[in-house]
């Protein structure tokens, strides 16, 4: 018997122990043969794993890779291991993420030629820059001075500030927020598309903003609207050192995973975590635009030496994108919780309120591991054990969260014209 992730349980498997969900609700007794309808019920009740007779997680893994040539499996393993070089593979959480990435890559491979492709390409997608480091680097960055300048990034539309005021005003009503958002036709259309997508999975179509506000709640809808605003405003800034499309894919995936984790944590306003994940690396846009020589050297050194960009930012500029991002959010007068999540997403244990930074930290690591877009970081950063403890979930939840991400991401990317096809 063995604990198997729900995503790998198939009809016909037999339960080795009574199955209950997280809240202790009894679902199916020991010895029962699992049927398709049971799997649907397990999903509804948030079951993440089950004890199954005669199968282990390793057996499941073996089955997926058994039909492939050993050379392909070996090439995949090598490639994924290289991607995880800065992580501790003995940590069960990281190992589970590694396993998911390996299986995902294996599943994507159809032919033997893929070995060559794997040997040539990185798992991450980021723009290639010339392989040279510019001599005579620019002076180190003073983040406070940098942020004081009139930053040449797109200005956020007036509606953004109005929504921000409405969120922070406790007397605002659902009608107030629907009115503010309704003034922007583009925003309203995007918002309704997302509300009607798999991101929410509502069974019936929601065709008016007022209805969306009623179903989602004022704060949730406003927070989502702010995220859409930031994305729309920044969507067209010119590619400088990185591919902007890839940057936003990374950001949206990180936001979506953050929201999925927040759901498992029982957060009321999960959109707040979507927004935090969406803007977690926004400081990089400032660095790439304002100190391109330093930023370029940091990216190049990271690439040449297989090091983490985050650490190289410190060495090259004496500050990093988390500080710059947090200062930018302060300048925009965004809620303190967002500033906290952005400032500490690489070091949640340094925050006085570590849960939200820990969620974005994990979501960022998962996004980089899965190779969805890139904000410049090529290798998977290490997971803070304290952050995982703070989140307090079973490692087996990772594969389920990845399934949920796959289910939701495509439609959101399509709303912003960021889908691959
Ligand atoms: Fe980051
Ligand atoms: Fe990131």
């Amino acid at each position: 018997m063995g604990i198997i992730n729900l995503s790998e349980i198939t009809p016909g498997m037999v339960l080795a122990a009574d199955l209950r969900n997280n809240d202790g609700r009894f679902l199916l007794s020991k010895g029962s043969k699992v049927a398709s309808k049971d799997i649907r019920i397990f999903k509804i009740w948030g079951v993440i794993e089950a004890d199954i007779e005669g199968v282990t997680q390793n057996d499941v893994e073996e089955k997926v890779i058994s039909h492939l040539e050993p050379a392909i499996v070996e090439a995949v393993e090598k490639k994924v291991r290289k991607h995880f070089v800065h992580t501790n593979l003995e940590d069960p959480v990281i190992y589970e993420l590694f396993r998911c990435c390996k299986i995902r890559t294996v599943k994507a491979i159809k032919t033997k030629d893929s070995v060559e492709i794997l040997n040539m390409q990185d798992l991450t997608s980021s723009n290639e820059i010339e392989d040279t480091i510019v001599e005579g680097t620019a002076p180190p960055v003073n983040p406070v001075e940098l942020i004081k300048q009139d930053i040449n990034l797109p200005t956020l539309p007036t509606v953004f500030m109005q929504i921000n005021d409405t969120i922070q005003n406790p007397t605002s009503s659902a009608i107030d927020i629907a009115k503010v958002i309704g003034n922007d036709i583009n925003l309203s259309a995007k918002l309704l598309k997302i509300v009607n997508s798999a991101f929410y999975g509502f069974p019936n179509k929601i065709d008016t903003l007022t209805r969306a506000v009623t179903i989602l709640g004022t704060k949730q809808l406003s927070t989502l609207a702010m995220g859409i605003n930031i994305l729309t405003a920044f969507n067209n800034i010119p590619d400088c050192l990185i591919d902007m499309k890839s940057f936003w894919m990374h950001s949206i995936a990180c936001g979506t995973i953050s929201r999925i984790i927040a759901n498992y944590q029982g957060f009321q306003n999960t959109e707040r975590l979507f927004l935090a994940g969406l803007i977690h690396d926004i400081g990089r846009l400032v660095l790439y635009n304002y100190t391109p020589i330093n930023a370029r050297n940091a990216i190049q050194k990271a690439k040449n030496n297989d090091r983490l960009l985050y650490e190289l930012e410190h060495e090259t500029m004496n500050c990093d994108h988390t500080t710059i991002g947090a200062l930018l959010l302060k300048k925009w007068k965004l809620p303190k919780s967002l500033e906290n999540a952005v400032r500490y997403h690489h070091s949640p244990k340094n925050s006085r309120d570590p849960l939200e930074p820990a969620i974005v930290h994990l979501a960022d690591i998962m996004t980089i591991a899965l190779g969805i877009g890139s904000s410049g970081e090529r290798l998977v950063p290490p997971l803070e054990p304290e952050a995982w403890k703070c989140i307090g979930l079973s490692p087996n939840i990772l594969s389920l969260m990845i399934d949920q991400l796959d289910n939701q991401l495509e439609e959101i990317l399509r709303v912003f014209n960021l889908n691959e096809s």
Side-chain angles (χ1 to χ4, degrees), residues 280-281 284 321-322 345-346 364 375:
H280 74 288
D281 277 339
R284 283 214 165 118
H321 67 283
T322 58
H345 76 267
H346 283 281
D364 185 38
S375 75

Side-chain angles (χ1 to χ4, degrees), residues 247 250-251 254 277 280-281 284 321 345-346 360 363-365 367-368 374-377 381:
F247 179 89
H250 169 77
S251 306
C254 181
H280 74 288
D281 277 339
R284 283 214 165 118
H321 67 283
H345 76 267
H346 283 281
V360 179
D364 185 38
I365 288 170
T367 308
I368 297 170
S374 170
S375 75
E377 194 73 85

Side-chain angles (χ1 to χ4, degrees), residues 19 37 55 91 135 146 210 238 257 306 380 392-393 404 409:
L19 185 63
K37 74 167 183 1
V55 197
D91 175 339
E135 294 301 328
L146 175 61
T210 327
I257 302 177
D306 281 341
V380 184
L393 296 169
Q404 282 178 278
L409 193 62

